[in-house]
């Protein structure tokens, strides 16, 4: 008889590429992970992986079986979710990552409210602008901007119509003037954001003349998006941010938009999970809760 935990180890190993990484993800020892796959192979009568000293890859039989293993785990997860949704309370640990700016300034009070509604949820937060690794960091979900590069991840929309916007403080515009076209940004102090080794200094816009990309420069760079926003509010320069990040600043007049809203690149906000089996009742409840809050916030 095939064991569910053996299927989980098999799928996790294919996702992360090694028994040791799968073991960390599932909180078991590497030896147990290896034994689980060997037991599954014995039950099926095939070799699922081709092993060598340097790498581990799926065999032809493993490639054929992987989709069925995923479907089996998804079906079990759907069954557990259906049962959980019939109960009144949600409990357990919810490991979540989120960007610094929207995380600190918008999501934190909403998460307080969510936990008041579901007091048996233990919340573990990772606040960072670096893209979280859902597998290695043992995360249940991550709140992210933009389109997913990895099509194997599961994405649930929170604010799909969000775009980026160029903005600056009224004081900066009074001192330096307001750019009339994207090309004029090259003559302004642009506050830039860096992720890893990449500095985002090529800003693209969807103008009536088509896509325009401008190389910008400035005297301040940070890997913390909230700091970049604060620099803009204090009049240090021009910033290109998600509109959700600066909406309160725009409404209060601390910042003003430089170009029409439809110039900005799309920046949909979504809740991302490693796979469908990660859609626990707590994750499902959180997504529904946040989707309602974002709808109210944007339309206010």
């Amino acid at each position: 008889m095939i064991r569910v935990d053996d299927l989980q180890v098999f799928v996790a190993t294919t996702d992360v590429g090694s028994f040791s990484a799968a073991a960390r993800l599932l909180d078991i020892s590497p030896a147990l992970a290896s034994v689980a796959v060997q037991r599954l192979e014995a039950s099926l009568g095939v070799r699922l992986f081709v092993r060598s000293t340097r790498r581990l890859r799926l065999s032809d039989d493993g490639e054929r079986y992987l989709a069925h293993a995923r479907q089996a785990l998804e079906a079990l997860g759907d069954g557990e979710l259906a049962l959980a949704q019939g109960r009144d309370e949600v409990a357990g640990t919810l490991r979540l990552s989120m960007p610094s700016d929207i995380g600190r300034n918008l999501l934190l009070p909403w998460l307080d409210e969510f936990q008041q509604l579901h007091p048996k949820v233990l919340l573990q937060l990772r606040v960072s602008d670096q893209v979280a690794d859902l597998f290695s960091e043992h995360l249940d979900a991550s709140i992210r901007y933009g389109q997913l590069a990895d099509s194997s991840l599961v994405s649930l929309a929170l604010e799909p119509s969000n775009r980026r916007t160029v903005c600056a403080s009224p004081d900066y515009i009074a001192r330096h003037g307001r750019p009339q076209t994207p090309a004029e940004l090259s003559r302004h102090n642009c506050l830039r954001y860096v992720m890893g080794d990449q500095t985002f200094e090529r800003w693209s816009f969807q103008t009536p003349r088509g896509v325009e990309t401008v190389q910008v420069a400035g005297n301040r760079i940070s890997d913390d998006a909230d700091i970049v926003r604060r620099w803009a509010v204090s009049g240090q320069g021009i910033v290109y941010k998600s509109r959700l990040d600066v909406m309160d600043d725009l409404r209060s007049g601390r910042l003003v938009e430089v170009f029409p809203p439809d110039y900005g690149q799309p920046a949909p906000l979504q809740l991302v999970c490693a796979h469908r089996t990660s859609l626990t009742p707590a994750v499902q409840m959180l997504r529904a809760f946040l989707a309602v809050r974002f709808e109210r916030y944007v339309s206010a």
Side-chain angles (χ1 to χ4, degrees):
M1 180 178 294
I2 293 174
R3 295 170 48 163
V4 173
D5 52 347
D6 293 349
L7 287 177
Q8 290 174 329
V9 172
F10 168 60
V11 171
T13 302
T14 62
D15 287 338
V16 298
S18 70
F19 290 132
S20 58
R24 288 193 298 271
L25 179 65
L26 299 172
D27 198 22
I28 61 176
S29 71
L32 284 178
S34 179
V35 167
V37 171
Q38 292 174 19
R39 187 167 49 228
L40 180 59
E41 289 176 327
S43 298
L44 296 170
V46 299
R47 293 291 296 274
L48 297 172
F49 291 102
V50 177
R51 300 163 175 83
S52 71
T53 56
R54 293 187 176 182
R55 59 178 302 196
L56 183 73
R57 65 176 177 84
L58 283 172
S59 66
D60 291 341
D61 287 327
E63 292 277 5
R64 285 190 288 268
Y65 187 67
L66 178 59
H68 299 286
R70 290 193 191 277
Q71 289 172 2
L73 291 175
E74 288 176 3
L76 290 170
D78 288 344
E80 292 176 1
L81 181 59
L83 292 174
Q85 288 176 334
R87 297 192 288 265
D88 292 331
E89 62 182 15
V90 176
T93 301
L94 176 57
R95 294 170 290 268
L96 178 71
S97 76
M98 60 187 186
S100 66
D101 201 336
I102 194 172
R104 296 188 185 112
N105 301 315
L106 194 59
L107 290 173
L108 276 182
W110 291 354
L111 291 174
D112 289 341
E113 185 181 353
F114 177 79
Q115 206 162 22
Q116 289 171 1
L117 294 172
H118 306 288
K120 292 190 177 181
V121 170
L122 171 61
L123 192 61
Q124 294 184 4
L125 285 183
R126 180 185 184 274
V127 181
S128 173
D129 290 314
Q130 308 304 307
V131 177
D133 187 324
L134 292 163
F135 294 104
S136 65
E137 297 177 43
H138 300 186
L139 294 169
D140 297 302
S142 176
I143 295 175
R144 296 184 185 177
Y145 282 116
Q147 302 297 333
L148 294 183
D150 187 346
S151 60
S152 68
L153 301 177
V154 177
S155 171
L156 305 174
L158 294 175
E159 176 41 49
S161 63
N162 183 57
R163 304 179 77 93
R164 300 180 72 193
T165 185
V166 173
C167 47
S169 71
D171 175 64
Y172 177 89
I173 291 176
R175 288 184 287 114
H176 300 282
R178 182 175 190 150
Q180 299 302 307
T181 66
E184 292 183 20
L185 289 171
S186 62
R187 299 195 294 271
H188 283 265
N189 193 50
C190 293
L191 308 170
R192 292 164 294 162
Y193 167 74
V194 62
M195 180 182 290
D197 295 329
Q198 182 180 4
T199 300
F200 290 90
E201 53 194 3
R202 289 179 59 81
W203 295 359
S204 294
F205 306 94
Q206 297 179 336
T207 73
R209 297 172 298 280
V211 176
E212 294 186 31
T213 300
V214 181
Q215 181 81 27
V216 301
N219 63 4
R220 298 193 182 197
I221 301 174
S222 177
D223 65 350
D224 188 312
D226 189 32
I227 288 178
V228 176
R229 181 191 62 83
R230 290 169 185 249
W231 283 340
V233 170
S234 67
Q236 301 300 324
I238 293 179
V239 72
Y240 193 21
K241 292 277 293 176
S242 156
R243 204 168 192 277
L244 284 173
D245 288 344
V246 295
M247 191 167 290
D248 281 345
D249 298 316
L250 295 173
R251 288 171 174 170
S252 67
R254 292 187 295 267
L255 293 175
V256 295
E257 290 185 272
V258 172
F259 303 130
D262 57 358
Y263 272 40
Q265 288 182 310
L269 186 69
Q270 49 212 340
L271 187 70
V272 180
C273 297
H275 40 66
R276 284 182 57 83
T277 55
S278 302
L279 296 177
T280 63
V283 171
Q284 293 272 39
M285 288 286 190
L286 178 64
R287 186 263 174 171
F289 174 86
L290 291 179
V292 171
R293 294 305 180 280
F294 277 113
E295 183 178 7
R296 293 174 181 172
Y297 181 69
V298 171
S299 60

